[in-house]
Each structure stands twice: as structure tokens, then as C-alpha cells.
Amino acid sequence: KRRGASTLAVVAKASYEGPKRYSKREWCSVSCQNRCLRLGRVRQDLLPTAKPTVIDIAWAAGLFEGEGSIQANANRTSQATITQKDRWVIDRLRALFGGRVSIERKPFGVYYRWCITGALARGFLMTVYSLLSPRRQARAREVLRRGPFRSVA
């Protein structure tokens, strides 16, 4: 079905049929349209499921400061990752900010990795930016300025 910018549409996660490519004038919802216009397009299965509070944002910024990393690959896509042994921490980040969770099995234990790329990574970095150390802020600025902002869809 075609969904216009003026129509609020509910996207059911249970009926996800792979990545959807939207044309420039087609949006899944008004809030998604606003996010896409600012940051780029995002696959629906990678979106957050909970709305973070100020305390959640401060918690995520502290966790990212200590355990996170920021990268920008060759095609200028931003990426932020956090790796932990505790699955709950990673699942909470996934619920608050979206992204992917993967499992890394190493000889000395199982690690869980939360990874966000593209528009979600840029949104996360801009959300926690003021709470990061000057060194992390400089790295975030460097990655965010690499533009042009690209689509992840």
C-alpha cells in the first residue's frame, strides 16, 4: 500500500517483509517523515520500541563513553557500537535507540554487540553528544561532518 505524508500509518512489525525502499515522496508515517528528512531513511525493523527518558539518555551516554566506539566506513556511513557480556544492557539499548544485536562467541566467553548505522547512529550521537567527553565529542563531530548523509534502507 502507498502511504502518503499526511496519513498516519501503523507499521506492524509482525508482518515485516524485508527492507522497504521508499520513493522520495512516500513515507511510512509523519514521525518517520520528520526523522527521514533530518537524518536519512531507516528500515522499520531497526527502529526503537521505547521512548528514552532523560535518565535513559544519560545512562546510555555513560555506557557509550566507557564501552562504545564510533566509526565511519569508506562509503561515509556512520556507525556506533557497544559490546558487553550482559545481554540485558544490550537489549535495553536496542529498545531505546534501535539498531541490531549480534552475538560474538569467543574462546573466553560470549559477548553481545549492539550496533547502529546511518541515520540511527547519527541520531544517537546527536542525542548523547552534550554528555560525552571532549575527546568523544571531537570524534562524533568528525564522523558527523563526513557527509553527505546517506540512506540505510
Side-chain angles (χ1 to χ4, degrees), residues 61-138:
L63 187 64
F64 186 72
E65 181 69 37
E67 302 292 331
S69 65
I70 308 169
Q71 299 93 25
N73 60 19
N75 65 358
R76 299 179 182 174
T77 300
S78 307
Q79 180 179 7
T81 60
I82 295 178
T83 304
Q84 287 280 307
K85 283 193 128 186
D86 188 2
R87 175 72 188 246
W88 178 87
V89 173
I90 298 300
D91 287 339
R92 184 71 179 143
L93 284 167
R94 164 69 179 92
L96 293 172
F97 300 102
R100 290 187 180 89
V101 174
S102 60
I103 300 172
E104 297 179 11
R105 298 186 198 297
K106 301 204 175 185
F108 42 86
V110 176
Y111 289 87
Y112 301 96
R113 170 177 259 168
W114 171 71
C115 178
I116 51 176
T117 59
L120 288 176
R122 291 188 295 273
F124 174 75
L125 290 174
M126 287 188 269
T127 301
V128 300
Y129 179 82
S130 64
L131 302 170
L132 298 176
S133 67
R135 181 179 66 87
R136 289 268 186 194
Q137 286 181 351

Side-chain angles (χ1 to χ4, degrees), residues 32-80:
C32 182
Q33 175 187 5
N34 293 336
R35 180 182 290 122
C36 291
L37 290 174
R38 287 179 298 193
L39 301 173
R41 301 202 182 159
V42 179
R43 279 183 27 195
Q44 296 300 305
D45 64 329
L46 300 178
L47 290 176
T49 57
K51 185 174 182 179
T53 64
V54 173
I55 293 172
D56 291 329
I57 293 169
W59 170 78
L63 187 64
F64 186 72
E65 181 69 37
E67 302 292 331
S69 65
I70 308 169
Q71 299 93 25
N73 60 19
N75 65 358
R76 299 179 182 174
T77 300
S78 307
Q79 180 179 7

Side-chain angles (χ1 to χ4, degrees), residues 10-29:
V10 177
V11 177
K13 291 185 180 184
S15 64
Y16 179 70
E17 300 172 0
K20 168 110 171 121
R21 298 201 181 268
Y22 294 99
S23 68
K24 288 185 178 179
R25 296 190 170 239
E26 188 177 19
W27 309 98
C28 56
S29 69

